Amino acid sequence: MLARVQSYLLQGIDALSCEVEVHVEDAEEARTTVVGLPDMAVKEATERVRAAMANSGYFTQSQKVLINLAPADVRKEGPVYDLPMAIGLLAAQGVIRTAAPNREDGLDLRSTLIAGELALDGRVRSIRGGIALSALAKSKGMRSVIVPAENAREAALVPDIDVYGVRTLAEVVGLITGAIELDPTPRVDISTLLRSAAAPIDFSEVRGQESVKRAIVVAASGLHNLLMLGPAGTGKTMMAKALPGVLPALTPEEALEITRIYSAAGKLHEASGPEGLVSIRPVRCPHHTASSPAIVGGGAIPRPGEISLAHRGVLFLDELPEFPRPVLETLRQPLEDHVVTIARSHGAMRFPASFMLVAAMNPTPKGDMPVGEVGRWEMERYLARISGPLMDRIDIHVEAPAVKWEQLSGGIRGGPKGTGTTEMREQAERARDRQIARQGPLTPNSRLSGKMLDQLAPMTPEALTLLGTAMTELGLSARAYDKIRRVARTIADLVAADTLLPDHVSEAVSYRLLDRKV
């Protein structure tokens, strides 16, 4: 009267094995107990399971049922155990077998991972972490997984695993017993899908702002953080959302990593296509009222925040000074370490957070450029909402001026378009190719250490003198000194120069816009 069903539990974005053990024995009064550190959603599963079984035509006997979720020292959450519990009960009652010698007789429960939420009428609802479940099955040498039909496409992204998407409890029983035949979900050609992906906005749609586009090319080439300063309505948000088109296309490994994060957060439907894969670098745009846990992640059982959802993509903070200062300060450590650690009493979880920070702000709370001494004072007070250490971590500050009427009306009158995404991407790709040849694919210019800069970013005497003058007159910090050298290294890569010249340093210094205003 004992059955075992293999399932999983999510820790961060990774799946761990969870064995659902079901023990039944005859009793005058039906009673079901769930042990193994279940949360309330797991405890309530027993009522959903009994109703789903009854409404699916399976007789529920008056029995004493004990369900253990192993390992018992790790907390279990969510409704993902509904389906494994139901299958375990049916196996313990002898309705289905726990082992099948071959495919014609059904699936072998010992080599199959199962997860899903049950509705009261027996329908199977979607879960979080379907792709992580499939990856766990592959790492354990298992043959197949059974998941809700809504999660089948993402789970099938993992190779060498048969993924069966099911819609009802009766369908699962028929699949396991061999009463019905169900073909595994077709696999997706990830490489082909990524090659056909395109950013939703082309930079040619942005009128004017050629100087900002140049700064974006520099930022995308070296993966530098960027701040755009300008009055309202100059296209700052539009350019931030078009930025993924200039960044390098996702590799299959990066696409799968991002997909795992979104799946674990329960947000895969927001970012993926019908294939269940995130194929374009994400752009996350949290509102300025977002809390620190929403930005960096958190909760009683930690989940990914906006900086993890922006992994391998762009975190866009519009109206930067309007964010609460404590929220902005939480970004300082992830910007340096590219991971975020969420510590709780029962342990700590690490989430990836390698993102490109793009921020935008108006010069004043009114949204216009300051005029006169009073306007300058108002602007400086507005900028003071952003701490110096955070501003130091933003490599490029660029002004986005108001667009002239002639430029805005150029599209109507058939005038020439501005620089488009294709041209900008080609420039950035050539610069990135030089970086990869020089320092490898894992270290973009934005992550060069001071020692590496001394070796890989040599300067002419004139360039060194110019940098020293700028440091003295602007009162820049040591962090800003390295930022200028990193940006200058990227500018030199754009013109295929090995040594940093005064022009390269001069342009890099010009991108310390806010250092000159305070």
Side-chain angles (χ1 to χ4, degrees):
M1 305 292 284
L2 175 66
R4 296 184 177 90
V5 179
Q6 304 303 315
S7 189
Y8 82 116
L9 62 91
L10 271 181
Q11 278 202 337
I13 65 172
D14 298 317
L16 302 179
S17 296
C18 178
E19 187 174 64
V20 180
E21 298 177 307
V22 180
H23 172 77
V24 298
E25 58 184 62
D26 294 333
E28 294 183 358
E29 181 180 357
R31 185 178 65 183
T32 302
T33 304
V34 182
V35 297
L37 284 183
D39 70 354
M40 186 56 65
V42 180
K43 291 179 180 179
E44 293 174 346
T46 59
E47 302 301 324
R48 290 193 298 273
V49 167
R50 286 191 177 277
M53 291 173 61
N55 289 321
S56 298
Y58 300 107
F59 177 68
T60 55
Q61 306 174 26
S62 178
Q63 294 174 317
K64 180 180 178 181
V65 179
L66 175 63
I67 300 175
N68 179 45
L69 306 177
D73 60 344
V74 181
R75 187 168 180 80
K76 319 301 185 305
E77 66 164 343
V80 299
Y81 305 105
D82 291 9
L83 189 55
M85 287 180 183
I87 297 301
L89 274 170
L90 292 172
Q93 294 170 358
V95 177
I96 59 178
R97 291 173 295 172
T98 59
N102 52 61
R103 176 65 185 87
E104 287 72 20
D105 294 326
L107 294 181
D108 188 342
L109 286 182
R110 297 171 300 181
S111 60
T112 302
L113 284 181
I114 303 176
E117 176 185 350
L118 285 176
L120 299 185
D121 59 358
R123 287 178 294 115
V124 181
R125 291 174 171 155
S126 63
I127 57 172
R128 294 187 297 112
I131 186 173
L133 169 66
S134 197
L136 173 65
K138 182 179 179 180
S139 68
K140 296 294 184 181
M142 294 189 172
R143 297 165 50 190
S144 56
V145 298
I146 298 175
V147 295
E150 295 179 34
N151 299 103
R153 297 293 288 179
E154 61 168 292
L157 294 171
V158 178
D160 305 322
I161 292 292
D162 290 335
V163 177
Y164 297 95
V166 295
R167 300 187 181 279
T168 65
L169 174 60
E171 190 175 355
V172 179
V173 174
L175 178 65
I176 294 173
T177 59
I180 64 173
E181 291 187 5
L182 184 65
D183 293 328
T185 302
R187 307 199 186 284
V188 176
D189 187 343
I190 297 177
S191 298
T192 301
L193 189 63
L194 293 177
R195 283 196 297 269
S196 62
I201 300 175
D202 194 289
F203 271 98
S204 62
E205 300 175 30
V206 181
R207 296 293 172 180
Q209 306 299 4
E210 292 300 313
S211 61
V212 182
K213 292 180 183 180
R214 164 66 180 181
I216 286 175
V217 170
V218 175
S221 300
L223 296 184
H224 301 286
N225 299 323
L226 172 71
L227 171 65
M228 294 177 283
L229 172 69
T234 58
K236 300 186 294 293
T237 301
M238 187 176 182
M239 288 187 285
K241 292 183 178 180
L243 182 54
V246 186
L247 294 171
L250 287 172
T251 65
E253 294 75 17
E254 289 175 334
L256 289 174
E257 184 181 21
I258 297 171
T259 301
R260 288 182 66 175
I261 296 172
Y262 275 78
S263 179
K267 297 180 181 293
L268 188 58
H269 64 282
E270 298 178 7
S272 69
E275 301 83 5
L277 179 75
V278 179
S279 57
I280 300 175
R281 293 189 182 273
V283 178
R284 300 298 300 182
C285 308
H287 193 261
H288 61 259
T289 57
S291 64
S292 294
I295 297 294
V296 301
I301 298 179
R303 294 188 181 181
E306 290 293 331
I307 62 174
S308 295
L309 295 172
H311 182 62
R312 305 293 185 188
V314 174
L315 178 68
F316 178 55
L317 302 183
D318 200 4
E319 290 311 317
L320 185 65
E322 299 298 332
F323 282 81
R325 189 159 185 160
V327 173
L328 293 179
E329 295 306 299
T330 60
L331 297 176
R332 288 164 56 177
Q333 177 265 331
L335 283 171
E336 293 291 330
D337 299 339
H338 310 292
V339 296
V340 60
T341 302
I342 309 296
R344 292 293 182 266
S345 58
H346 56 77
M349 294 186 186
R350 289 165 62 91
F351 295 103
S354 180
F355 59 91
M356 182 177 172
L357 175 63
V358 178
M361 60 176 291
N362 295 329
T364 64
K366 295 180 180 179
D368 56 356
M369 290 299 292
V371 178
E373 190 63 30
V374 174
R376 176 69 62 180
W377 176 80
E378 186 179 17
M379 178 179 176
E380 291 183 358
R381 186 174 65 174
Y382 193 52
L383 291 174
R385 297 185 183 183
I386 307 170
S387 70
L390 178 62
M391 192 64 73
D392 275 349
R393 286 170 168 81
I394 301 178
D395 309 34
I396 297 175
H397 316 152
V398 63
E399 183 176 353
V403 183
K404 298 179 180 179
W405 158 249
E406 291 79 6
Q407 294 172 319
L408 285 174
S409 61
I412 301 175
R413 296 180 298 166
K417 293 185 176 180
T419 307
T421 294
T422 300
E423 181 181 350
M424 296 169 66
R425 182 174 61 247
E426 290 174 352
Q427 296 176 30
E429 284 177 349
R430 290 194 294 268
R432 284 193 295 268
D433 289 342
R434 288 182 56 83
Q435 293 175 52
I436 293 173
R438 183 177 58 240
Q439 62 226 28
L442 301 180
T443 310
N445 285 344
S446 62
R447 299 185 189 177
L448 291 175
S449 65
K451 183 178 180 180
M452 296 175 70
L453 285 167
D454 293 339
Q455 178 184 357
L456 302 178
M459 296 186 186
T460 64
E462 296 80 7
L464 188 59
T465 300
L466 175 61
L467 178 56
T469 302
M471 291 291 298
T472 302
E473 293 182 356
L474 300 179
L476 301 178
S477 67
R479 182 178 283 113
Y481 166 68
D482 281 342
K483 294 288 187 185
I484 290 174
R485 291 201 293 166
R486 293 182 184 116
V487 173
R489 176 66 272 173
T490 301
I491 295 169
D493 287 334
L494 284 167
V495 293
D498 294 325
T499 303
L500 305 190
L501 304 177
D503 288 347
H504 308 148
V505 174
S506 176
E507 183 178 354
V509 171
S510 73
Y511 290 139
R512 304 305 300 178
L513 177 69
L514 297 184
D515 291 328
R516 301 202 306 273
K517 291 192 178 293
V518 294

